[in-house]
Every structure is written in C-alpha cells, then in structure tokens.
Amino acid sequence: HRSAARVLPTPHLKWRTDQLLRQVNMVLAAYTRAQALLALIVGVVCGVGFALMKLPNAAMFGIVAGLLETVPIAGPLAVAISATSVASPSQVILVLAFLGTLRMVQDYVIYPRLIRQALHLHPLAVVLAIWFGAMLGGVVGVCLAVPTVGVLQVAWRHYREYREIERLVRDHAGPT
C-alpha cells in the first residue's frame, strides 16, 4: 500500500492512490463480512430446517452448510448429498425441495441485498456480475465477480474525481 503511493511523482497522486487503496481495502473487507453473514444465515436456516424435518444431526448439517457456503456449487451440492443420505426415503424430496428453495431465495434475494448494503451495488448488478463471472471464468469467475465489480466501482469513482480535479486545475490556471 505505502510502496505503491511512494513511487508516484506528485503529492496529489500519492494521496489519491492512498485513498484508492484504502477504499479498495474497505470494499473487500465489506465483501468478506457479507460472505460471512451469508454463511451464518444459511447455516442457521439449514440447521432449523433440518431440525424441523427431524433429520439426524440437524445442527451439524447446519454448521457444515454454513461453512461450505463459501465454496460455490460444491458446498451446496455436498450438503444436499449429505442431508439426503441420512434422510428417510419419504424425506428426500422434502430435503431437496427445501434446499432448492433456500438456494433460489439466497441467490436472488438474500445475497444481492447483503451485497447491496455492503458494497452499495444494485441487486441486479450483483446477479449480472455473477452470471458474467460464471460465463467468463466458471467457478473462479463466480467467486471473483462481485469483489471485482466492487473494486472497479471504487476505481471508476476515483478516476472520475481525478479527472474533475484535473479539469478544475486546468480551467483555473487559464491560458499560459
């Protein structure tokens, strides 16, 4: 952080770079907190849902679901396989319906709203970022899509501010 700012030629650029890197750090920290909160929400909802369905070890499955929430596709799939493996034949459809409904609500309601609050991104931008991330980079693209959009948003705002300041300085200096 400090090394990047030191190599720049003017105090203004050093300050601007320092501010940019601080805000990028804040965005990534907010994203991490939102991910942790999402994992907690999924863990609690799964634990309670599995307990209501009277699955054995419901609390453990809830904890595992929360922890594995950070692994796209593989985490939810592992929870589905594990939960259905201990469910009775009559509960399997109920467990899968519960997990499918949770996944839809989480992907299209809870997650975009958490990210909107944490990163100030519109929920539609979150969903589109994840779709484009999946198209461009698969699982890795899904993982990196939202933080990348958050960092790009900060960079774009700083670029616009920098250009505006440069325009004001140029206009104020007048013809030379």
Side-chain angles (χ1 to χ4, degrees):
H1 178 130
R2 290 186 180 126
S3 298
R6 282 188 198 139
V7 299
L8 296 169
T10 65
H12 175 71
L13 282 177
K14 289 178 184 181
W15 176 82
R16 174 67 60 196
T17 301
D18 183 59
Q19 292 301 309
L20 171 71
L21 293 175
R22 284 177 194 266
Q23 288 184 3
V24 164
N25 186 43
M26 288 174 22
V27 162
L28 294 177
Y31 173 74
T32 303
R33 284 190 300 274
Q35 285 293 111
L37 181 58
L38 179 66
L40 178 67
I41 290 168
V42 168
V44 169
V45 169
C46 281
V48 169
F50 293 153
L52 292 173
M53 288 183 258
K54 300 197 184 325
L55 286 183
N57 302 316
M60 181 202 57
F61 281 121
I63 291 169
V64 170
L67 292 174
L68 290 179
E69 185 55 39
T70 58
V71 183
I73 301 168
L77 186 60
V79 170
I81 291 169
S82 300
T84 55
S85 70
V86 299
S88 68
S90 61
Q91 290 176 311
V92 170
I93 298 298
L94 183 60
V95 168
L96 290 175
F98 168 74
L99 290 173
T101 302
L102 175 61
R103 177 67 29 205
M104 295 298 287
V105 170
Q106 177 210 335
D107 288 349
Y108 294 102
V109 178
I110 297 170
Y111 185 73
R113 290 182 182 190
L114 282 175
I115 294 300
R116 178 184 67 199
Q117 294 219 323
L119 302 179
H120 307 291
L121 290 175
H122 192 278
L124 182 59
V126 173
V127 171
L128 291 175
I130 292 170
W131 283 349
F132 284 121
M135 286 180 0
L136 296 174
V139 174
V140 174
V142 169
C143 292
L144 297 177
V146 174
T148 299
V149 169
V151 168
L152 289 174
Q153 181 184 28
V154 168
W156 178 249
R157 185 175 61 246
H158 274 270
Y159 173 76
R160 284 192 343 246
E161 290 172 4
Y162 175 76
R163 297 293 296 170
E164 183 62 23
I165 289 170
E166 290 297 312
R167 186 189 63 76
L168 290 172
V169 167
R170 188 176 55 249
D171 290 350
H172 186 272
T176 54

